[in-house]
């Protein structure tokens, strides 16, 4: 695919589990995030022992003590990832060219203050909550797929990429005649 224009950052509010933070940072680094941030952190990035990509030092990392202190680059739009009643389902969301994605830490939602700073709130349409590292990977993959210039998907046969209409075969057993 062609290079995505713009940039994005990834952050977490309140993270307390080092493995989850590490997975989020690793996913963000893999998808080429421009920066990372934490808001009201309960641990340091250096505690994120699952980040084997050593993202710290490779990208800017910002830490804000409270949502009131949170700052973004000019023109950057804040996207909260949270399960709320009026959140936009991720498959229907058009990612901003310049965005920062903020995730709630495990067992905690984004705070009302953090949600109030978000221009958009999106949710991943899953049956139940997933960990923050996995949520980050899904959101960033969706951004890449929708902004990466990949075009239509190809099929192994090289044929049409629309599935044929379903046709019902003969019954597998005869109905009972009671």
């Amino acid at each position: 695919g062609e290079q995505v224009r713009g940039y994005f950052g990834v952050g977490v509010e309140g993270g307390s589990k080092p493995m989850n933070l590490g997975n989020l940072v690793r996913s963000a680094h893999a998808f080429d995030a421009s920066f990372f941030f934490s808001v009201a952190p309960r641990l340091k990035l250096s505690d994120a022992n699952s980040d084997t990509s050593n993202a710290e030092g490779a990208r800017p990392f910002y830490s804000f003590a409270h949502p009131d202190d949170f700052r973004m680059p000019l023109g950057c739009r804040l996207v909260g990832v949270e399960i709320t009643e009026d959140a936009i389902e991720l498959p229907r969301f058009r990612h901003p060219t310049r965005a920062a994605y903020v995730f709630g830490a495990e067992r905690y939602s984004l705070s009302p203050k953090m949600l109030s700073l978000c221009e958009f709130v999106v949710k991943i349409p899953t049956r139940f909550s997933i960990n923050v590292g996995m949520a980050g990977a899904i959101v960033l993959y969706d951004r890449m797929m929708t902004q990466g210039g990949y075009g239509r998907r190809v099929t192994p046969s090289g044929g049409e990429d629309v599935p044929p209409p379903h046709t019902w075969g003969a019954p597998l057993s005869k109905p009972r005649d009671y």
Side-chain angles (χ1 to χ4, degrees), residues 12 15-27 43-52 106 131-134:
V12 66
S16 62
K17 287 190 173 176
M19 288 298 281
N20 286 351
L21 177 61
N23 285 334
L24 177 64
V25 168
R26 182 175 168 78
S27 292
L43 55 90
K44 303 185 301 293
L45 182 63
S46 57
D47 297 331
N49 50 12
S50 61
D51 174 29
T52 55
E106 60 292 325
N131 80 51
V132 70
M134 184 177 288

Side-chain angles (χ1 to χ4, degrees), residues 69-138:
D69 305 319
F70 180 62
R71 298 291 179 269
M72 287 191 306
L74 292 174
C76 187
R77 301 169 87 180
L78 186 59
V79 180
V81 181
E82 183 63 82
I83 300 167
T84 65
E85 197 60 41
D86 52 354
I88 305 161
E89 290 186 318
L90 183 62
R92 301 183 63 229
F93 180 62
R94 187 179 298 271
H95 295 264
T97 305
R98 294 168 299 190
Y101 299 89
V102 62
F103 295 82
E106 60 292 325
R107 295 193 310 273
Y108 298 95
S109 300
L110 291 173
S111 68
K113 176 65 182 177
M114 200 72 217
L115 281 171
S116 75
L117 299 175
C118 294
E119 186 175 346
F120 308 99
V121 179
V122 299
K123 62 184 170 188
I124 301 167
T126 53
R127 290 173 54 196
F128 47 82
S129 184
I130 56 178
N131 80 51
V132 70
M134 184 177 288
I138 290 169

Side-chain angles (χ1 to χ4, degrees), residues 5 7 9 24 40-41 48 55 57 64 90 96 104 111 125 165 174:
R5 291 195 352 263
Y7 61 81
L24 177 64
F64 304 95
L90 183 62
S111 68
K174 292 187 191 267

